[in-house]
Amino acid sequence: MIEEGQMSHGFRLYAGSSHQALASQVARELSTDLGSVHLSQFKSGELYAHFPESVRGVDVYLLQSFSPPINDHFVELLLMIDALKRSSAGRINVIIPYFGYGRQEKQGEAREPISAKVLADVLTTVGAHRVITIDLHAAAIQGFFNIPVDHLSALSVLAQEVRAMNLVDAVVVSPDAGRAKTAEKFAAMLDLPMAIMHKGRPQHNEAVITHLIGDVKGKTPIVIEDIIDTGGTIVQVVENLLAMGARPNAVLCATHGVFSSPAETRLKHTGIAQVLVTDSLPLRSEMKGLPIKVLPIAPLLAEVIGRVHNNQALSSM
């Protein structure tokens, strides 16, 4: 926890409606209170934001994760940024624990949008001075912004929990080639071997596993992902690992638990022993009762806010 008095006066922490619980935890870590912001919705569906206290010259940290309904939360964030800019706030630092649309970071087919770039352009244009986010789906998304982006990793948070489980004969598994570098770092943190699966995507939210590089026979698989959404891909990974001789007690690790339906059904798979995610998104009520453990990231975010506010380097993190 940041010690009381470590941060000088002149900053304030606000939050949108997407994840008030996380924002409150970050405020506690910083020994401060959440600033007041009035958020509402007209009957027409239009959103409204108002800051009842002066923010003139104040450095602001504004937390909004892109949880469902993602489009409402994005527009709400834009309105809050605009209100702060028009109120002569100092630096507007936007904290987006889960950056939605991150899986649309390139054109997979002709005449598709690069949606992550659109969000970056809008956030920059509306007045954000800095973005703080965790485990982007593709690190290259940082380059879509013309403002500083602090791209954090929750790997150490996940690794600490996995180490405490004292797993025997475990192997870190990357579900595709795109996660290989992340899996390599995770395996190094845990001092474990790794394996890589190769998958293709015939259509959205569908994947086909075709190859495996590495040995998983008789081992406990630790699958590392950035996002678990509907659970279709991750369950198929587990089923393929079982078919290749892995133990039926897979541990699934991901930074962002989106858990869109029917994840609540798919993750009841008998081959899954534990699912570890962070609280970058609020856990849907339908997921409660499943073997899911939610790990806190408030200490990580509070540490970053402290360093940014005091102009300290983040590279050691």
Side-chain angles (χ1 to χ4, degrees), residues 39-83:
L39 302 169
S40 61
Q41 187 173 26
F42 295 104
K43 290 185 178 180
S44 64
E46 295 177 8
L47 303 175
Y48 174 79
H50 172 242
F51 292 84
E53 55 192 4
S54 174
V55 293
R56 185 175 296 273
V58 177
D59 284 350
V60 170
Y61 295 84
L62 179 57
L63 191 150
Q64 180 84 316
S65 201
F66 289 166
S67 61
I70 182 172
N71 298 325
D72 282 359
H73 288 149
F74 179 60
V75 173
E76 183 181 82
L77 176 61
L78 298 180
L79 298 181
M80 288 189 290
I81 294 172
D82 186 69

Side-chain angles (χ1 to χ4, degrees), residues 92-116:
I92 303 173
N93 305 282
V94 181
I95 305 169
I96 308 174
Y98 170 61
F99 188 85
Y101 286 92
R103 287 170 285 181
Q104 299 182 53
E105 87 289 4
K106 61 181 181 296
Q107 281 189 315
E109 298 181 22
R111 297 172 297 280
E112 280 187 341
I114 303 179
S115 304

